[in-house]
Amino acid sequence: MDIASAFGMSEIALQLLVGLSRAMILFIISAGLSLILGVLRVPNVAHGSLYMIGAFAAYSVNQIVGGAAGFWLSLILAPLFVALVSFVAERVLFCHLYEREHLMLLLFTFALMLIFGDLVKFFWGVDYKSVTAPDMLKGSVMIFGLPFPAYNLFLLIIGPVVGFALWLFVSKTRIGKISKAASVDRMMVGALGINVSWVFCTAFVIGCFLAGLGGALIAPTMGITLGMDHTIIMEAFLIVVIGGLGNIWGALVGALIFGVTQSIGVMLLPQFAIIFPYLAVVIVLMIWPKGLLKSVW
Amino acid sequence: MFKGMIHKNTAFFLAALFVVFLFLPKIIPSYYVYFIASVLVMALLAMSLNLVVGFGGLFQFHHGVFYGVGAYAIALLVKKTPIPEWICFILSPFVAALAGLIIGLICIRLSKLYFAMIQISLGSLLWALAFRWYGFTGGDDGIHGIPMPSMISGVNNSYYFILIVFVVCIVALFMILKSPFGSTLQAARDNEQRCEAIGVFVKRHQLFAIVIASFFAGIAGVLFVVLERSVFPDLLFWTLSLEILIMCLLGGWFTFAGPIIGAAIMLSLRTFIGIQTEYWTLILAVILALLIFFLPEGVWGYFQEKLKHRKEAVTERGQ
C-alpha cells in the first residue's frame, strides 16, 4: 500500500510528530532507568511503579490545588515525592543488595513493584483517575494545515529540555562525573576516598525522579490506572537495551525508534500498531546485539 | 533404569505420595482437587523453567511464552481444525518446542541481560499478536469453552490426567538432568569457557535445553487448557514469566524439587490469602523480599543444605 497517497504527506508528518512526542515521555522514563542501570547495575523493575506513583501523585496535587497552578505544581511536586520514596527505598533496602547477582536484584525489584502496586491500590483506590491539562495546553495548534494537540507540542519541547539538563548533570557536574567513573570501576572510585554509596544513592534518586516526571507528564494524556506500570517498564527496558545499557543518548535513540515505529504502525495496520515497536527491537538486536550506541557495561 | 539415581527410601516415599495423591479426590472437596491440579500445572511449568535457569544458567526471562504458545496451540487446533483431539494433544507441545527453537536460535547468540531482553521483546511480540488478532486468537477476550474429550473433562478426571502427565514429565525431566546431557549443561553453567575448551559445544547444549524446556512448558500449557478450558493473552504476558521465576526462587534454584514447593507456596498464597484480602501480592512481595535478603537459596534449597550438614556431621561422628 502506498502510504503517501492514502494519507497525504502532512498527515504522515503529523502522525510522526505524535510518535515523537510519545517518544519524549518514553525517553524521560528510560533515561532514568538507563542511569540506574549504568551507575548501579540494578535492573530496576520497580521503575514503572515509580512512574505510576508519579502519575497518581500528580492527580492528587491537581485535586488539592486545582487549576493551571495545580498542573504546573504537580510537575514539580509529583517527581519530588517519587524521589523521596526512592530515597527511602534506596537507603533502607537497595544499598545492602548491590553485590548480589542481577537475577536476584531483578526479582527483588519485582517484589518492590508488587509492593508499590498494592500501596497505590491502598492509597488511591482502583478507580480510573484523570488530570486535565491547563487551558493554554488544551486544544490544538495548526501544523502543516492540520490540527496538532497542543499538549503533544509541549511534550516535544520539554523532552529536549530534560535531556539537556540530564546531559549537564552527567558530564558537567562533579557528582555526575563521579557517577560516570563509578559505573566503570566502583572499586577504584571507592579507593580514591569517595563515598560510592552516596553517589549511587544520588544517581538512583535522580533516575527515579525522572520516572516520576514521566508519570506526571503523561497524566493529562491518558487515564491513570493501576497496571500502567506493567507495560511501561517493559517498553523502557527494551528502549534501554536497544540504545545501549547505561547510555543516556541511547535511551533517546531507543525512545525515538519506539515512538516512530509505533506511529508508522498506526498508519499501516492500526490494529497491530503495538507490534511494530517490538518488531523493531528484535531487528535492532539481531543486527546490533549490544545496542546501537556504546554500552557502559 | 533408576538404579543409583535415587535413594531407596526416597523412591518408597515418592511412591507412597503418589498413591496418596491418587486417592485425594475421594477424600477432599472438589475445590481443593482443582487447586492441587492447578498447583501441578504451575509446578511443571516452573520445573521446566528451572531446567534452563537453575541448571542451565541462562537468563530465560520470558518462559511464560512457551506455556502460552502450548495453550493457544491446543485451543486453536481443537477449535479451528478437524484434527482429532488426541493428536492435538501430542502436537501442541511440539508447537511450543518449535517456538522455543526459533526464539532460542535468535537469543542464544547473546548472553545474560541481552539474552533476556531479546527474549522479552520476542515474547511481547507474540503477546501483542495474541492480544490484538481478534479474528484468529480472540484478542484480549481469549478463547473460552474449548471442548475436551469426555474422558478428561470434569474436575476429578482432569485431575487424574494432569497428575499422570505430571508424574511422567517429572520422571522424564529427572532423567534428562541425570543424563550426560544434563551434566554437561550444568558444567557449562558453572564454567562456560572451560567447557568449550574441552570441546563441548556449549551454545548447542543450551539451545537444546531451551527446546526441551519449552516442550515441557507447552505440556503445562496443554494441561492448563484441560483444567480451565480457556486461553487468554495474559498467559503470554511477561509478569507471568516473572511469577514462574519467583516460584523457582521460592523453592530453590539448584534443586530438582524446589520449583514444586515454590509453585505450591505461591498458589496457596494467591488462593487462600487472596480470599482474605485483596493485598495478597503485598504479602507475597514481602515474603519474597525477605527471602532474597536472608535465604537466597530458596526454601527447599535451605533445608537441603541443612540436611546435608547434619548428614555430614553424623558420618563424621560415626568415624
Side-chain angles (χ1 to χ4, degrees), chain A residues 13 21 32 83 129 154 206 238 282 285:
Chain A
S21 62
K129 305 272 186 294
F154 168 65
I206 289 175
L238 296 176
V282 171
L285 282 183

Side-chain angles (χ1 to χ4, degrees), chain A residues 220-257:
Chain A
T221 64
M222 58 184 270
I224 305 165
T225 167
L226 286 170
M228 64 193 279
D229 51 343
H230 284 43
T231 34
I232 197 80
I233 185 61
M234 186 168 59
E235 291 178 356
F237 258 118
L238 296 176
I239 286 168
V240 167
V241 169
I242 55 174
L245 291 177
N247 189 322
I248 287 157
W249 300 120
L252 180 63
V253 174
L256 289 175
I257 291 175

Side-chain angles (χ1 to χ4, degrees), chain B residues 195-214:
Chain B
C195 252
E196 251 162 21
I198 56 166
V200 175
F201 213 139
V202 170
K203 295 281 180 204
R204 193 182 290 164
H205 276 78
Q206 289 174 339
L207 180 64
F208 194 46
I210 294 172
V211 173
I212 292 173
S214 33

